[in-house]
Amino acid sequence: MQVFETDQANGIRTMNQAKPVRVFAVISGKGGVGKTNVSVNLSVSLAESGKNVVLLDADLGLANVDVILGLQSQFNLSHVLSGEKSLREVMIEGPGGIKVIPASSGLQNMADLSQAEQGGLIRAFSEIDKDLDVLVVDTAAGISSSVVNFTRACQEIVVVVCDEPASLTDAYAFIKLLNRDYGIYNFQILTNQVEGIQQGQNLYKKLCRVTDRYLDVTLQFMGAVPYDECLRKAVQKQSPVMHSYPSSPSARAFRDLARKIEGWPVASQGSGHMEFFIERMLQYNCSQSELAI
């Protein structure tokens, strides 16, 4: 226990010396809305502007960032937690200079992490935060404990919705869960696969009408990504649309969204460093463990 506490303290002290890092989650209530595509292309867009970007595949059961990008990795987050590899050793180079942390299919529930694994997670992220500007967390679809865990640890939450009743219904259910059970009040709404900005705004307003009536939350309209045949072709090529079709409507939309993200305020002091992300995850793990006793 004493060794763990010492390692944990050393990791936090190291992170306290680092620069602020922007950490945001990309979530959706259901699958099939293009969430991972959004995560990938936002990451590439932010890297285009000179940011050091890491994309964390937090879908612990059905990882697909590597599939979308045509990447292969022998190691993943489970090897970091077991002590076999460092975080730098499992990170793989992605398009546009982004770094990708492959998901760990062997960790279905982050609430089951042992103290040694928690300490390993802190040390692992303390290794990279001094070289990092943005951490994008691509969560799984749905509201499993691991999804909630990663999401509530982030500074900003981007909810991806499309023009399907199930998409809006499930997005509302997720927002309701995070608001009522975890006291999260602010959400960025990104509409995907829409015919134009007007349709995107209409979807946003439709969601707002329900949340305004039943929840104490603030939804911000982040923007819209249009339906674009070039995006579909880029997926088939296992390449970001930013690279395959840089002048396409969807590529231009992602650049606009990246500029919006750069305008978001970066939290100062503790909540702006990587320890914000790690401590929030560990705080959640502890609360889950207490509930299980």
Side-chain angles (χ1 to χ4, degrees):
M1 175 70 73
Q2 185 175 1
V3 173
F4 167 74
E5 289 175 350
T6 301
D7 288 342
Q8 185 179 23
N10 288 338
I12 296 298
R13 277 197 295 271
T14 300
M15 287 186 282
N16 279 330
Q17 298 169 3
K19 63 185 178 182
V21 177
R22 194 186 306 279
V23 184
F24 68 90
V26 182
I27 71 171
S28 65
K30 67 178 291 292
V33 302
K35 172 186 58 59
T36 298
N37 243 322
V38 167
S39 298
V40 165
N41 283 288
L42 281 179
S43 297
V44 174
S45 299
L46 288 163
E48 277 187 355
S49 65
K51 299 290 187 297
N52 293 322
V53 181
V54 170
L55 172 57
L56 170 61
D57 189 343
D59 189 338
L60 305 183
L62 297 171
N64 56 7
V65 167
D66 54 346
V67 175
I68 284 181
L69 292 176
L71 302 174
Q72 293 184 344
S73 174
Q74 185 177 357
F75 305 104
N76 56 49
L77 197 57
S78 68
H79 298 94
V80 176
L81 294 175
S82 67
E84 299 173 60
K85 297 291 178 180
S86 70
L87 195 57
R88 291 187 185 277
E89 288 175 319
V90 305
M91 279 196 297
I92 50 181
E93 190 80 21
I98 69 171
K99 300 293 193 303
V100 177
I101 302 175
S104 168
S105 58
L107 290 173
Q108 296 298 319
N109 191 343
M110 291 293 287
D112 291 336
L113 290 182
S114 67
Q115 287 188 335
E117 289 171 328
Q118 292 178 18
L121 192 63
I122 290 174
R123 290 192 300 273
F125 277 90
S126 70
E127 294 173 1
I128 67 166
D129 70 332
K130 64 179 179 297
D131 301 322
L132 183 60
D133 296 312
V134 182
L135 175 66
V136 180
V137 181
D138 180 52
T139 70
I143 55 175
S144 68
S145 60
S146 63
V147 174
V148 172
N149 186 7
F150 278 113
T151 299
R152 67 188 296 266
C154 296
Q155 299 159 333
E156 298 280 355
I157 300 173
V158 175
V159 185
V160 181
V161 298
C162 63
D163 192 11
E164 296 178 7
S167 173
L168 291 173
T169 300
D170 292 350
Y172 170 77
F174 199 175
I175 292 170
K176 176 181 176 180
L177 171 71
L178 293 171
N179 175 237
R180 292 191 172 178
D181 292 357
Y182 300 103
I184 296 175
Y185 300 96
N186 298 301
F187 299 86
Q188 299 283 342
I189 307 301
L190 192 160
T191 56
N192 193 31
Q193 302 171 9
V194 295
E195 294 180 1
I197 189 69
Q198 187 61 55
Q199 185 189 18
Q201 290 175 336
N202 289 340
L203 287 177
Y204 162 73
K205 292 175 182 176
K206 187 180 296 185
L207 187 58
C208 283
R209 281 196 293 270
V210 183
T211 57
D212 288 347
R213 183 172 181 179
Y214 297 107
L215 302 178
D216 180 21
V217 297
T218 299
L219 306 186
Q220 299 289 339
F221 181 60
M222 182 177 173
V225 177
Y227 176 82
D228 185 0
E229 188 65 20
C230 290
L231 187 56
R232 186 186 65 81
K233 292 178 181 178
V235 172
Q236 292 177 335
K237 292 181 177 182
Q238 294 181 296
S239 170
V241 72
M242 315 298 304
H243 290 176
S244 296
Y245 305 97
S247 300
S248 64
S250 56
R252 293 197 299 269
F254 281 119
R255 290 192 181 94
D256 290 340
L257 291 166
R259 282 191 288 270
K260 279 195 173 183
I261 291 171
E262 290 174 6
W264 290 349
V266 179
S268 60
Q269 299 177 347
S271 61
H273 298 292
M274 282 301 297
E275 80 271 15
F276 174 88
F277 178 68
I278 302 303
E279 286 181 335
R280 286 292 294 272
M281 282 209 300
L282 299 189
Q283 180 184 30
Y284 175 73
N285 290 340
C286 291
S287 65
Q288 289 294 97
S289 298
E290 290 170 359
L291 288 174
I293 295 175

